[in-house]
Amino acid sequence: MPVVEVVLPVPPAAAFAYLADPRNRPAWQSSLRAVAEVVVPDGDPTAVGVTWTDVTAVPGVRPRLRTVVSEPGRRWAEVGELAGFSATLDLAFGPEPRGTRVVATFTVAGWGVGALLGRLAVVAVRSDLRRAGELMRTAGHE
């Protein structure tokens, strides 16, 4: 199971609020062009049960995702599925003298190539989280 750790220059509550809201993802996730069909059942876009569709850079690839864990400022996780593939992303947040340590654990499974895709995703996830940190820093998230 691939793991990525990054330090973001904002407090855990701010990092959680930004990263767990799927509407922010196109700004920091390199593979996305947009999110669509966002359903927020209880008015909190970071809560368990929120669903959305990723509109990826690859035409026709539109996985459906849902939040399965939401512990504000501590942990957030999603599950996504598309045509025989499934993926999970789990983010753990912890205080760090310079901001927040985010530990991202993820899996990709399906059709025998899940392990390869997971290894390839390490670089993208690290880069995407760093981009999110820079966006939060420049926007003054506190």
Side-chain angles (χ1 to χ4, degrees):
M1 182 178 310
V3 176
V4 170
E5 290 188 38
V6 298
V7 175
L8 303 180
V10 297
F16 176 90
Y18 185 78
L19 293 173
D21 185 340
R23 300 170 300 182
N24 294 328
R25 293 174 79 137
W28 61 268
Q29 190 173 339
S30 60
S31 64
L32 292 186
R33 296 300 169 250
V35 293
E37 303 163 353
V38 178
V39 177
V40 181
D42 295 322
D44 177 0
T46 69
V48 169
V50 172
T51 61
W52 67 97
T53 299
D54 280 351
V55 179
T56 71
V58 179
V61 176
R62 295 174 57 116
R64 188 75 181 154
L65 296 103
R66 76 181 180 287
T67 301
V68 294
V69 175
S70 181
E71 300 170 13
R74 296 187 47 214
R75 186 169 169 238
W76 178 88
E78 68 179 23
V79 173
E81 297 175 345
L82 173 71
F85 283 93
S86 65
T88 62
L89 174 64
D90 191 306
L91 302 177
F93 301 83
E96 170 78 24
R98 297 173 291 146
T100 302
R101 178 171 302 280
V102 177
V103 179
T105 307
F106 50 96
T107 61
V108 180
W111 295 350
V113 297
L116 173 62
L117 291 174
R119 286 192 298 274
L120 294 173
V122 168
V123 173
V125 169
R126 182 176 289 114
S127 175
D128 288 346
L129 289 173
R130 287 179 177 157
R131 180 180 303 112
E134 181 60 21
L135 290 168
M136 286 184 278
R137 185 189 65 75
T138 59
H141 289 263
E142 305 269 338

